[in-house]
């Protein structure tokens, strides 16, 4: 059974998609052992607790400097003894120490088709704002392994989504989530849990 630790910062709809897929049996051989948020108020934590999953926050505000926060975050991850770490809207730059320790065992969901609209400054709604202002007609989402760059690790899955003429960033974000993110993130977890990668 693959032990999965999910890191979140906000609403947690991608976490929800993974939890639902575990319950529905479309993800097999995996269990979510811990959900970690850098944000105490993240609704994602409530979603996890509602399912009886261990949900904890590690906030930079509680530590004197970044080094101490990084150490606390890594300790919190280590304590869960994960086989896989899923970044599901986790808006924290991971400590390099953590990336090295869990090399090949951290995946991230990004709300665009990498290598477009990715890298520093491209997260959440900002990605969809940039897509609309550039006028591209196709966007989507990507699941990739995490390396020490920003959105540069090997790509696991991608799914394209159409941009429609009257889209606002919010409307487009929702369509990308529904049609791409909530599909490919659970799919990638299932592939890893079943040795299909
Ligand atoms: C998702 O759209 C995810 O792809 C994005 O943040 C959102 C989190 O939503 N992540 C990034 O932009 C990372 N670069 P959620 O909390 O509802 O899953």
């Amino acid at each position: 059974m693959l032990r999965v630790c999910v890191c979140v910062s906000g609403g947690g709809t991608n976490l929800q998609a993974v939890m639902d897929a575990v319950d529905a049996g479309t993800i097999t051989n995996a269990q979510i052992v811990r959900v970690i948020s850098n944000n105490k108020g993240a609704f994602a934590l409530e979603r996890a607790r509602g399912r009886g999953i261990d949900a904890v926050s590690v906030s930079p505000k509680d530590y004197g400097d970044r080094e101490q926060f990084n150490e606390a975050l890594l300790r919190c991850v280590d304590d869960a003894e994960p086989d896989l770490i899923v970044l599901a809207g986790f808006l924290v730059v991971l400590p390099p120490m953590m990336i090295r320790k869990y090399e090949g065992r951290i995946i991230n969901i990004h709300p665009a088709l990498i290598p477009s609209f990715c890298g520093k400054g491209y997260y959440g709604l900002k990605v969809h704002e940039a897509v609309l202002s550039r006028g591209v007609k196709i966007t989507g989402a990507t699941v990739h392994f995490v390396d020490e760059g920003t959105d540069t690790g090997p790509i696991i899955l991608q799914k394209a989504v159409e941009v429609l003429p009257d889209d606002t960033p919010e409307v487009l974000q929702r369509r990308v989530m529904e049609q791409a993110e909530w599909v490919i993130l659970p799919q990638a977890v299932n592939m890893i849990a079943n040795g299909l990668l």
Side-chain angles (χ1 to χ4, degrees), residues 54 67 81 94 106 137-138 154-155 158:
D54 174 36
E67 195 56 34
E81 299 181 352
L94 288 195
I106 310 177
K137 305 304 175 211
I138 299 287
I155 291 171
Q158 291 189 303

Side-chain angles (χ1 to χ4, degrees), residues 119-170:
K120 206 162 178 280
Y122 286 103
Y123 59 88
L125 214 50
K126 288 182 191 295
V127 174
H128 306 291
E129 285 164 1
V131 162
L132 291 177
S133 66
R134 185 63 184 85
V136 297
K137 305 304 175 211
I138 299 287
T139 183
T142 303
V143 181
H144 64 93
F145 285 109
V146 173
D147 64 11
E148 290 194 38
T150 307
D151 303 328
T152 51
I155 291 171
I156 302 169
L157 289 173
Q158 291 189 303
K159 195 164 189 295
V161 173
E162 209 175 345
V163 180
L164 298 179
D166 293 332
D167 277 348
T168 62
E170 290 80 7

Side-chain angles (χ1 to χ4, degrees), residues 17-33:
V18 174
M19 293 191 304
D20 288 349
V22 170
D23 288 352
T26 46
I27 293 177
T28 55
N29 293 323
Q31 60 176 141
I32 303 174
V33 292

Side-chain angles (χ1 to χ4, degrees), residues 8-15 44 47 88-91 108-111 122-124 127-128 151 173 177 181-182:
V8 294
S9 295
T13 64
N14 278 284
L15 165 69
R47 291 182 192 264
F90 190 53
L91 305 180
N108 178 51
I109 178 85
H110 183 73
Y122 286 103
Y123 59 88
V127 174
H128 306 291
D151 303 328
Q173 178 182 51
M177 285 175 157
E181 297 185 46
W182 303 343

